[in-house]
Amino acid sequence: GTLPTICRQCDMRCGIEVQIEHSRINKVSGMKAHPQNRGRLCPKGPAAIDTVYHPERLLKPLKKNGSGSFREISLEQAMAEIADRLAAIGEKHGRRSIAAWHGEALGFAQQEMYPRRFLHALGSPNFLSVNSLCYVSRYIAYRLVQGYWNACPDFRNARCILLWGTNPPVSHFTFMHPIEEARKRGAGLVVIDPRRTEIAGKADLHLRPMPGTDGALAWGLMRRLIENGHYDREFVAGYSVGFDEAAAYAAEFTREKVGRLTGVPPEQIDECGRLIIEGLPRSINYVGVSLEHQENGVNAVRAIACLGGLIGSVDRVGADPWPEPLGERSLTLYDELPLLDQEPIGAADYPVLYDFYKECNTMKAVEAMLGFGPYPLRALIVSGGNPANTNPNVARVAEALSRLDLLVVRELFLTETAALADYVLPAASFLERSELHIYSHYQWVSMSRRALRIPGVVDEYSFWRDLARRLGFAERYFPWQSEEEVNRWLLEPTGVTGEQLEQHAEGGEYKEVHFEKYRQQPLATPSGKFEFSSQYLEDLGYPALPVYEEPYYLRSRPKDSSEDRPYLLISGARRRVYLHSRYRNIPRFLRLHPRAEIELHPQDAAVLGAGQGDKIRVSSEVGSIVL
Ligand SMILES: Nc1nc2c(c(=O)[nH]1)N[C@H]1C(S)=C(S)[C@@H](COP(=O)(O)OP(=O)(O)OC[C@H]3O[C@@H](n4cnc5c(=O)[nH]c(N)nc54)[C@H](O)[C@@H]3O)O[C@H]1N2
Ligand SMILES: Nc1nc2c(c(=O)[nH]1)N[C@H]1C(S)=C(S)[C@@H](COP(=O)(O)OP(=O)(O)OC[C@H]3O[C@@H](n4cnc5c(=O)[nH]c(N)nc54)[C@H](O)[C@@H]3O)O[C@H]1N2
Ligand code: SF4
Ligand SMILES: [Mo]
């Protein structure tokens, strides 16, 4: 038979149909009725089959011997030993010495809530996740300025689209259909990326700023709009604070100065301004993750959000709608057990991250594992992530993980991170669980369904509940027998039922989309207004305006030309067939990209005498790699 469900191999969460014969999945195809993808899939969609039935998939718990090799043990033994060791570590070092790390593979919603809930019930505030590297800086920046972040603006109805540091044909293919529709109706497209990407090749204008200088460009564009009076005066006058300070600061960013700071020729800045003005009031910004990976990323994104306010994108059609929530229950225990007296790791250094997101910074956590924190972190449970491969300075991360008293990793494969663990537990894939998927940008909800059960492999909810039971707090905090029961409880106040979502696998709109709600209700910022400048940040000792700071590599550049590291590397450009460290064990994908690759500017390549396919050693302050 065919089971309609949701692909959660990445955060696009496309609708899929899974064909099952003799309890084996033999085909994954796109669900036509799902508005997210309308039947289309990326190459990783069907690769779910290669993953779940991969010959190297872990199906039994592994325990590391004194000699460092693994042997298989039963799940009962593994769980009993892990619970005992956690209890002992909590006893000896305090419960806050126990942490959990949640990776990208599990998403940013329901699955993330289980370890958060578990830790707070246990008495540790130390929830860590991939959020330190992904999307939360954008979320915080936009929340600070306008009170919400929309992960996907209304491309379809836009008249000018600015893409900052993002390459949707590869990373977010579901954005491409609405972008192409807008283009057919004449919308302008500006791509801002130091690299000539696939989408840059399709744009009206490709701006190539030096990495980490986008903030200066955003200020330069603001200057131009303010000087020529091309901004939304009604919105600025009625619904914003700090405009005068912002305008005074913007005045410093002349086209010549922005040209010097960013490397973008002033004529191109003018041209970009012209395209934005032509598109008003339906010009929009979309910011990719890369800006978060640069220094002062939050302020670069805040500056871009401020530009959005000037061009009137806030909660408008063809711009940046303000999503309304479904109103489902929340699994967080933060309100009940905030544990602030337990000094969450990194909360003092990154107070805004903790305040907005109630989680610790992973770089600080790595330091704490190495003994440089305010107190030691001694035990860690990782699920859905591979930090020894994906976090900055992997050698240091691996060193930190191997110093722990207890490392437990829930995985499908024996990854770089799992190899360091004391216990590796086989994890359920997305096809082996059932969860809610909220697409807040069009106020839509779907529920995925369990398509597969593998003996001995448990889902995330069952794992955390079992551990809570062994540590004595399941009855109070994990009372639901199964994830299906959790789903029902979450949905109860919403008027949407699990039965409805099961009958209509594509899901449905939970609320009609309305625009310009800020006219009736305050924006969700401290002042209730759009904040060009932030009193909240100023009170914490940060600049109130999203000021531009030159990145370190430019500030510290030697004055003479005898640099021993003359090149600049940006890393992490996506490949269609890979997702971070995933899918690199699938032969048909490996044939496309057998090893890690580097792209060089043709002029740099010519100087080096390097050609297509050559091996190149790249060295930096932290390490060296052959690509
Ligand atoms: N196939 C595939 N799809 C994915 C993923 C994957 O691994 N593979 N990962 C998923 C995840 S978790 C995420 S977060 C998203 C990320 O997706 P996006 O947010 O769209 O980011 P990228 O596609 O990585 O594109 C980032 C671009 O920014 C450029 N860039 C780097 N530094 C700067 C800078 O300082 N300024 C500017 N303006 N540009 C810069 C890079 O050259 C690159 O082209 O993709 C998701 N989709
Ligand atoms: N240099 C550089 N580094 C980067 C980035 C960059 O642009 N440049 N991008 C960053 C970004 S945006 C992100 S999101 C991170 C991602 O970094 P991570 O969160 O580490 O994500 P992955 O590398 O995809 O690792 C996911 C792991 O989860 C496992 N897995 C898959 N499905 C499941 C499941 O259902 N359950 C469980 N328990 N496990 C599962 C997979 O086998 C895989 O090993 O990387 C970041 N690192
Ligand atoms: S983009 Fe690909 S991997 Fe992501 S949800 Fe859609 S089909 Fe799955
Ligand atoms: Mo990400």
Side-chain angles (χ1 to χ4, degrees):
T2 299
L3 184 93
T5 186
I6 306 295
C7 177
R8 181 43 188 93
Q9 295 181 86
C10 86
D11 218 47
M12 293 293 94
R13 300 168 298 160
C14 298
I16 53 171
E17 274 157 16
V18 177
Q19 222 176 69
I20 305 172
E21 255 165 60
H22 310 296
S23 6
R24 203 179 156 91
I25 299 175
N26 58 21
K27 194 173 171 204
V28 171
S29 44
M31 190 202 298
K32 291 217 169 52
H34 203 290
Q36 184 71 352
N37 55 316
R38 301 260 172 240
R40 289 177 288 261
L41 288 183
C42 87
K44 296 176 295 309
I49 302 176
D50 306 65
T51 301
V52 295
Y53 300 121
H54 198 286
E56 287 162 11
R57 180 159 175 196
L58 299 168
L59 298 171
K60 289 265 164 53
L62 300 176
K63 178 183 179 178
K64 197 171 273 166
N65 297 326
S67 66
S69 60
F70 285 114
R71 76 185 160 86
E72 287 184 359
I73 59 171
S74 72
L75 187 60
E76 172 56 36
Q77 186 192 339
M79 293 300 288
E81 289 183 14
I82 291 166
D84 284 349
R85 288 178 68 174
L86 285 177
I89 291 168
E91 200 63 35
K92 187 161 169 212
H93 300 283
R95 293 191 160 191
R96 64 182 181 174
S97 68
I98 300 168
W101 186 314
H102 172 95
E104 202 288 333
L106 290 165
F108 304 96
Q110 188 168 338
Q111 305 300 321
E112 172 175 324
M113 283 302 175
Y114 302 143
R116 281 180 183 270
R117 187 175 177 90
F118 175 89
L119 285 173
H120 279 238
L122 175 77
S124 168
N126 290 320
F127 175 75
L128 314 167
S129 88
V130 64
N131 299 347
S132 289
L133 295 180
C134 183
Y135 109 85
V136 165
S137 301
R138 276 175 290 173
Y139 170 87
I140 289 174
Y142 269 92
R143 275 285 310 273
L144 284 164
V145 175
Q146 61 181 36
Y148 67 91
W149 180 57
N150 189 336
C152 178
D154 184 11
F155 292 122
R156 197 179 303 275
N157 297 301
R159 289 211 288 252
C160 175
I161 299 170
L162 270 75
L163 299 177
W164 299 78
T166 177
N167 188 22
V170 171
S171 311
H172 296 115
F173 89 92
T174 59
F175 290 3
M176 287 314 291
H177 195 245
I179 291 177
E180 278 156 9
E181 274 187 27
R183 292 288 279 160
K184 274 190 208 132
R185 283 199 309 274
L189 178 65
V190 180
V191 169
I192 302 156
D193 193 317
R195 209 162 57 97
R196 184 166 300 150
T197 56
E198 186 171 333
I199 188 94
K202 299 180 177 167
D204 296 310
L205 182 64
H206 177 201
L207 304 184
R208 300 198 296 156
M210 297 285 285
T213 65
D214 299 76
L217 184 58
W219 279 111
L221 292 168
M222 280 196 266
R223 176 183 202 264
R224 178 171 158 131
L225 294 169
I226 295 170
E227 281 207 331
N228 300 344
H230 283 298
Y231 65 94
D232 188 337
R233 287 164 193 278
E234 192 250 353
F235 179 76
V236 168
Y239 304 98
S240 78
V241 294
F243 174 72
D244 293 341
E245 292 105 286
Y249 184 66
E252 295 172 22
F253 288 83
T254 60
R255 57 201 285 285
E256 293 74 22
K257 178 171 168 180
V258 174
R260 271 197 313 277
L261 291 173
T262 63
V264 177
E267 313 75 64
Q268 290 189 357
I269 302 170
D270 297 342
E271 174 64 4
C272 183
R274 197 184 59 74
L275 286 167
I276 294 174
I277 291 163
E278 268 182 13
L280 291 178
R282 295 191 181 187
S283 282
I284 50 171
N285 294 301
Y286 173 80
V287 186
V289 76
S290 60
L291 270 64
E292 302 186 29
H293 297 162
Q294 304 291 349
E295 261 179 280
N296 206 20
V298 170
N299 274 343
V301 181
R302 277 178 74 213
I304 295 167
C306 288
L307 174 65
L310 285 185
I311 60 182
S313 345
V314 177
D315 208 15
R316 288 258 171 82
V317 68
D320 192 11
W322 176 9
E324 291 188 76
L326 166 64
E328 78 283 14
R329 283 203 178 104
S330 168
L331 285 160
T332 182
L333 288 176
Y334 181 80
D335 299 326
E336 196 177 329
L337 299 167
L339 303 178
L340 287 171
D341 56 332
Q342 295 295 305
E343 297 175 83
I345 295 282
D349 310 88
Y350 297 98
V352 183
L353 172 66
Y354 203 82
D355 202 13
F356 275 79
Y357 232 71
K358 317 300 184 216
E359 72 175 72
C360 307
N361 175 281
T362 46
M363 303 275 280
K364 288 285 161 190
V366 166
E367 283 176 19
M369 291 173 209
L370 289 166
F372 303 120
Y375 55 87
L377 278 186
R378 298 305 333 149
L380 177 68
I381 303 173
V382 178
S383 193
N386 185 10
N389 182 301
T390 54
N391 271 61
N393 203 343
V394 286
R396 188 171 151 93
V397 174
E399 168 70 20
L401 295 178
S402 53
R403 293 234 205 132
L404 292 164
D405 295 339
L406 175 66
L407 176 63
V408 178
V409 177
R410 283 180 54 75
E411 251 303 342
L412 274 67
F413 299 103
L414 197 58
T415 59
E416 292 84 347
T417 305
L420 301 169
D422 301 292
Y423 295 87
V424 186
L425 300 178
S429 73
F430 76 99
L431 289 166
E432 297 149 60
R433 57 180 185 254
S434 164
E435 60 184 318
L436 295 176
H437 293 284
I438 297 165
Y439 306 80
S440 63
H441 48 293
Y442 47 98
Q443 299 180 185
W444 190 274
V445 56
S446 311
M447 192 172 74
S448 65
R449 287 193 283 175
R450 209 181 275 270
L452 191 65
R453 248 178 230 281
I454 296 179
V457 177
V458 300
D459 61 32
E460 295 301 302
Y461 177 71
S462 306
F463 164 75
W464 292 108
R465 178 172 194 267
D466 185 16
L467 207 51
R469 183 178 62 78
R470 291 170 196 269
L471 291 165
F473 54 85
E475 221 169 288
R476 171 133 189 228
Y477 292 113
F478 289 83
W480 311 281
Q481 299 288 327
S482 65
E483 192 159 51
E484 284 77 4
E485 265 187 36
V486 176
N487 295 343
R488 276 199 287 280
W489 179 82
L490 290 172
L491 282 171
E492 226 162 57
T494 66
V496 177
T497 66
E499 290 71 38
Q500 284 169 329
L501 295 178
E502 261 177 31
Q503 278 156 23
H504 300 278
E506 74 282 11
E509 190 185 54
Y510 57 79
K511 251 179 219 158
E512 213 183 302
V513 177
H514 295 286
F515 299 100
E516 298 185 33
K517 298 182 284 295
Y518 58 84
R519 296 184 187 281
Q520 281 87 48
Q521 67 194 85
L523 289 166
T525 57
S527 64
K529 303 224 164 169
F530 185 94
E531 299 196 354
F532 287 101
S533 85
S534 165
Q535 186 64 49
Y536 164 85
L537 288 180
E538 193 161 45
D539 292 346
L540 285 168
Y542 297 110
L545 286 174
V547 295
Y548 174 67
E549 272 169 44
E550 213 169 35
Y552 170 78
Y553 77 86
L554 288 173
R555 286 198 309 274
S556 63
R557 194 164 45 178
K559 293 284 172 279
D560 59 72
S561 57
S562 63
E563 292 175 63
D564 60 344
R565 298 191 207 283
Y567 299 100
L568 187 60
L569 176 78
I570 48 183
S571 71
R574 276 70 176 146
R575 291 281 181 244
R576 236 182 216 93
V577 296
Y578 294 139
L579 225 137
H580 307 294
S581 67
R582 268 173 274 168
Y583 306 95
R584 295 175 195 257
N585 54 7
I586 295 179
R588 65 192 152 88
F589 291 172
L590 272 170
R591 275 196 291 278
L592 295 173
H593 301 285
R595 55 186 76 84
E597 292 161 346
I598 186 162
E599 295 170 7
L600 287 170
H601 192 282
Q603 285 168 7
D604 288 337
V607 170
L608 287 168
Q612 185 72 27
D614 283 354
K615 284 188 189 169
I616 294 185
R617 176 172 292 280
V618 179
S619 307
S620 79
E621 277 173 43
V622 298
S624 174
I625 186 174
V626 176
L627 300 159

